[in-house]
């Protein structure tokens, strides 16, 4: 799971055991550091903090210290595996390692019935993941709205309707950890 702060404890109490880790999500990310450095309000950087140069600087120093400690404990792992290219980018940067991507297993045999001819395909974008604040689903909706407008403008300029680009549809699938995530989904539905 990547509970990095347990690595030194395991190492010390097991008399130097070799540690391998499979990390799904880093405890701190370079995105979090960047947001605080740039004083951008976000899920991890309240406006009260981001609007103040003093508190932003203190928080940034705390994040830098935390990331250095995270790098130190991450260094106890001899083999570092991650579940995605996003996690790899952050872990490699923070821990100064070369991690290996091991994608979670997924039985794709069930999907073989869904294979279609290109002419039968629909322009659908699927977003799959937990509804957490750091996933910024609202940005996905805003981006899709802007894309749809551009496509509509482009289609209006087409001479032949059969050349029109199909306006994409966004389907979001995911889970909620708690009531806050459920409220986030309700807000997304209203925003959409």
């Amino acid at each position: 799971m990547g509970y990095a702060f347990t690595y030194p404890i395991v190492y010390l109490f097991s008399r130097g055991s070799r540690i391998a880790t499979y990390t799904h999500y880093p405890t701190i990310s370079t995105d979090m550091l960047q947001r605080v450095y740039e004083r951008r309000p976000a899920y991890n950087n309240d406006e009260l903090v981001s609007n103040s140069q003093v508190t932003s600087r203190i928080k940034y120093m705390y994040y830098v210290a935390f990331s250095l400690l995270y790098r130190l404990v991450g260094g106890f792992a001899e083999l570092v595996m991650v579940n995605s290219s996003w996690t790899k980018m952050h872990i490699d940067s923070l821990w100064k390692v070369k991690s290996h991507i091991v994608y979670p297993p997924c039985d794709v045999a069930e999907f073989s019935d869904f294979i279609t001819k290109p002419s039968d395909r629909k322009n659908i974008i699927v977003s799959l993941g937990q509804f957490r604040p750091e996933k910024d689903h609202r940005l996905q909706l805003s981006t899709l709205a802007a894309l749809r407008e551009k496509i509509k403008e482009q289609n209006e300029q087409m001479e032949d309707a059969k050349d029109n680009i199909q306006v994409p549809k966004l389907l979001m699938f995911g889970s909620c950890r708690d009531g806050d995530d459920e409220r986030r989904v309700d807000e997304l539905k209203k925003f959409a």
Side-chain angles (χ1 to χ4, degrees):
M1 294 295 287
Y3 297 109
F5 289 94
T6 63
Y7 304 166
I9 297 165
V10 169
Y11 183 82
L12 293 171
F13 284 103
S14 64
R15 296 187 179 96
S17 287
R18 299 172 75 189
I19 297 172
T21 178
Y22 183 58
T23 302
H24 282 252
Y25 198 83
T27 305
I28 190 168
S29 69
T30 54
D31 294 343
M32 293 167 67
L33 285 159
Q34 192 65 33
R35 265 188 220 103
V36 174
Y37 178 78
E38 293 173 358
R39 297 178 56 201
R40 283 186 288 143
Y43 70 93
N44 71 313
N45 199 31
D46 191 87
E47 280 191 47
L48 290 172
V49 174
S50 65
N51 288 335
S52 166
Q53 188 170 5
V54 173
T55 55
S56 288
R57 194 163 300 238
I58 291 168
K59 184 170 184 174
Y60 182 71
M61 289 187 303
Y62 164 75
Y63 270 25
V64 168
F66 187 88
S67 67
L68 290 172
L69 186 57
Y70 192 52
R71 176 182 299 159
L72 175 72
V73 297
F76 280 86
E78 286 187 45
L79 175 62
V80 179
M81 297 169 285
V82 296
N83 71 328
S84 69
S85 57
W86 184 89
T87 303
K88 177 179 177 46
M89 177 185 68
H90 290 283
I91 290 294
D92 288 2
S93 174
L94 291 164
W95 288 4
K96 304 297 182 209
V97 297
K98 293 232 183 278
S99 61
H100 305 277
I101 299 175
V102 179
Y103 293 107
C106 180
D107 182 6
V108 294
E110 294 292 322
F111 298 116
S112 62
D113 293 340
F114 296 109
I115 297 173
T116 60
K117 300 180 294 196
S119 61
D120 294 338
R121 295 182 69 174
K122 299 199 178 351
N123 202 357
I124 297 174
I125 300 168
V126 175
S127 173
L128 178 64
Q130 288 184 332
F131 290 96
R132 303 165 66 115
E134 60 269 24
K135 303 282 181 166
D136 204 355
H137 289 89
R138 185 177 274 250
L139 178 61
Q140 293 178 33
L141 292 171
S142 298
T143 302
L144 180 67
L147 175 64
R148 291 172 68 106
E149 283 304 310
K150 288 205 177 282
I151 290 172
K152 284 179 185 175
E153 290 171 12
Q154 190 171 358
N155 284 346
E156 288 170 3
Q157 297 172 4
M158 296 282 188
E159 290 181 23
D160 191 346
K162 69 178 171 97
D163 294 330
N164 280 1
I165 300 168
Q166 187 182 13
V167 177
K169 181 177 183 179
L170 173 65
L171 299 177
M172 291 182 167
F173 298 94
S175 62
C176 297
R177 300 165 298 171
D178 54 27
D180 288 341
D181 287 354
E182 289 170 6
R183 281 187 290 283
R184 192 168 295 108
V185 170
D186 290 337
E187 290 170 11
L188 287 168
K189 287 177 183 176
K190 290 174 190 168
F191 183 72

